Amino acid sequence: MLASPPRSAAADDIDSSTDNEIVVCTLDHRVRAYRADGTEFWLSPPTTACKAPAIADLDGDGQVEIVIESSILDGKTGAILHTLAPANDAPVVIANLTGQKGASLAIVTGSRVYDYNGKVVADRGLAAGFAAVADLDGDGLLEIVATGGAVGDHTLTVWRLNPSDPAGFTVVRDGLDLDGPLGDSCAPSVPGSFEGGGAPVIADLDGDGGLDVAVASGHGILAFSGTALLEAGVPTEETILWASQAATCTARRAGLSAFDGDGKSEVLIADETSLRVFAGATGAEVFTLCNTGAAGLAFPVVADVTGDDRAEIVLVASAMSGFTCGGQKNAGIRVLGAPGYAKTGRIWNEHGYHGINILETGHIPAFEGALLHGFREAAANSDAVDLDVALVTSCTSDSSFLVTVRNIGRARAPLGVPVVLSGGMGVGVELAKATTDKSLAPGEAELFRFDLDPMVANDGLRADVGVKASPQSFDECREAQARSRLANQTTISA
């Protein structure tokens, strides 16, 4: 079995090579990895649950892990490193819940949080559906937005880790009815009557500067004010920004948010008959396209896949379901674009995509910084500098290090951008510093060589570009991307 639908794929550089790989779930809950040329890379041992793989460097050691519902796998070999305990079969997302630089990443479900070794940190003891994470109130700590996972549970919950609470967590908003003003109009035999909702989407939907939440249930899409969700005194009905009836009662997988040419957020959903686009602020339907398919874990994604500096919508169509649109069925992968679409990132790599989880080069950052925007959101990018930094040891000396700074953005970087090497015996201690001696055009790179004291050369080194040495004087697209940590096993010739 090559891969098992309806499940999700993920892609990234999982073996510290120059190419990216693709990982998918099989019918018997294995993970299969493919090289960029389509040949098989490895096949994992059987696990107990695999639907939506996530890729991350959980502990910042330079080695990439594959995280599925039941297990943590070695990215290079597919070997099972850890089994989540207690056992889990709910979809997972990966995030830095503390917002602290250099923190290890957490494995998050709708009901549990596990550490980078798969050990439980907090457990609400409930069946979990889908989860998303974001800093809804701007305090630097991430909230977990989760849908229910039990049959008949059409609810949304907002909770967060809280070490000072005996349970280890605090529930901020519980049991929010996803049927809401839509009512329960689905026939008892239809999945929408006993399942839902889908993967939450977090973005600034109404343009007020705060993050909001959108989620699909079996009966439609509901959008909530993120600020109102966190305020205990706000009645449930006053947290709802808008509600839109579903085209089919099986539309229980949420879409995502994107931006069009005027910078206003929109919510997308693909149900069994159509792609539908809603205005983020009002819920008004602004676009519909026939697109038959099976809901499963599939939803539209938004990325600049054509390299034209504009966002495109990518969605999957299937003729295998019993649904039609206008008497027709669709099949295949479809890419939609328009001249007015905003600029956005070039990669959307997994079900739990949140921007800072992957670099524009297709590589995984050793550490994720603070999540300052939404989740499952294709944020609009301006013409900005986007500096990617790679730190490797020299082949000629164990105490010599090479730092490559490349501008993968769409604007020219200024002359004199700081390049700082830090680490040694203390995290964050500045060991060496240089500045770029030319203005890097998009695509250009500059190579730096640092010769350090051998006593500290291999101890937790990290390169930063333009973000630690001095306040930024230029518009850099993704600050988290301008950081790198040494992967000791990687060498290149000086």
Side-chain angles (χ1 to χ4, degrees), residues 159-487:
W159 61 292
R160 62 168 72 100
L161 291 184
N162 183 0
S164 64
D165 191 293
F169 63 89
T170 297
V171 176
V172 181
R173 176 81 62 165
D174 196 16
L176 199 153
D177 184 7
L178 289 178
D179 294 339
L182 299 174
D184 186 356
S185 58
C186 297
S189 60
V190 176
S193 68
F194 54 84
E195 288 187 29
V201 173
I202 301 177
D204 180 6
L205 299 179
D206 55 8
D208 66 352
L211 292 174
D212 307 302
V213 177
V215 63
S217 71
H219 311 112
I221 300 177
L222 273 74
F224 302 90
S225 164
T227 301
L229 285 175
L230 298 187
E231 294 181 3
V234 177
T236 295
E237 59 272 16
E238 294 183 16
T239 66
I240 300 174
L241 293 177
W242 52 264
S244 176
Q245 199 76 38
T248 70
C249 282
T250 51
R252 60 192 189 280
R253 299 292 184 261
L256 53 98
S257 61
F259 288 93
D260 62 12
D262 62 8
K264 294 180 180 178
S265 185
E266 295 168 337
V267 175
L268 292 77
I269 185 170
D271 54 35
E272 280 86 347
T273 66
S274 307
L275 165 72
R276 296 193 294 158
V277 181
F278 301 88
T282 65
E285 191 168 321
V286 297
F287 178 76
T288 303
L289 175 73
C290 284
N291 190 80
T292 57
L297 289 173
F299 54 69
V301 300
V302 177
D304 177 13
V305 297
T306 63
D308 65 351
D309 282 345
R310 298 292 176 187
E312 284 85 35
I313 301 171
V314 183
L315 66 160
V316 176
S318 173
M320 298 182 66
S321 74
F323 291 90
T324 63
C325 181
Q328 303 294 318
K329 292 188 176 186
N330 312 104
I333 297 175
R334 311 175 79 183
V335 179
L336 312 176
Y341 283 3
K343 297 178 180 180
T344 192
R346 288 163 282 191
I347 297 177
W348 183 300
N349 74 312
E350 66 183 34
H351 190 262
Y353 170 81
H354 51 282
I356 62 172
N357 66 297
I358 187 169
L359 308 180
E360 287 287 283
T361 57
H363 297 85
I364 289 290
F367 296 104
E368 287 189 14
L371 182 57
L372 302 178
H373 50 77
F375 201 89
R376 299 188 178 98
E377 173 195 18
N381 286 350
S382 62
D383 284 320
V385 177
D386 202 353
L387 295 179
D388 177 64
V389 57
L391 168 64
V392 296
T393 56
S394 168
C395 288
T396 60
S397 171
D398 288 341
S399 59
S400 294
F401 301 89
L402 303 178
V403 175
T404 301
V405 178
R406 184 180 303 277
N407 183 5
I408 62 174
R410 299 181 175 94
R412 179 179 288 273
L415 179 71
V417 175
V419 182
V420 179
L421 204 61
S422 60
M425 299 303 291
V427 177
V429 175
E430 183 177 304
L431 302 175
K433 178 180 176 181
T435 57
T436 57
D437 61 9
K438 61 180 179 179
S439 174
L440 296 177
E444 277 194 306
E446 187 170 352
L447 179 67
F448 299 84
R449 178 175 180 133
F450 296 99
D451 295 306
L452 302 182
D453 185 336
M455 297 298 293
V456 299
N458 285 317
D459 189 4
L461 292 184
R462 177 170 133 171
D464 292 277
V465 179
V467 292
K468 284 187 66 179
S470 63
Q472 286 183 247
S473 58
F474 58 95
D475 179 18
E476 201 203 357
C477 174
R478 295 188 181 182
E479 184 177 297
Q481 187 154 296
R483 298 189 176 96
S484 178
R485 184 172 175 175
L486 176 65

Side-chain angles (χ1 to χ4, degrees), residues 56-75:
D57 183 355
L58 294 173
D59 55 1
D61 66 352
Q63 306 298 313
V64 173
E65 289 84 34
I66 313 296
V67 184
I68 57 176
E69 288 80 355
S70 61
S71 310
I72 302 171
L73 310 181
D74 186 298

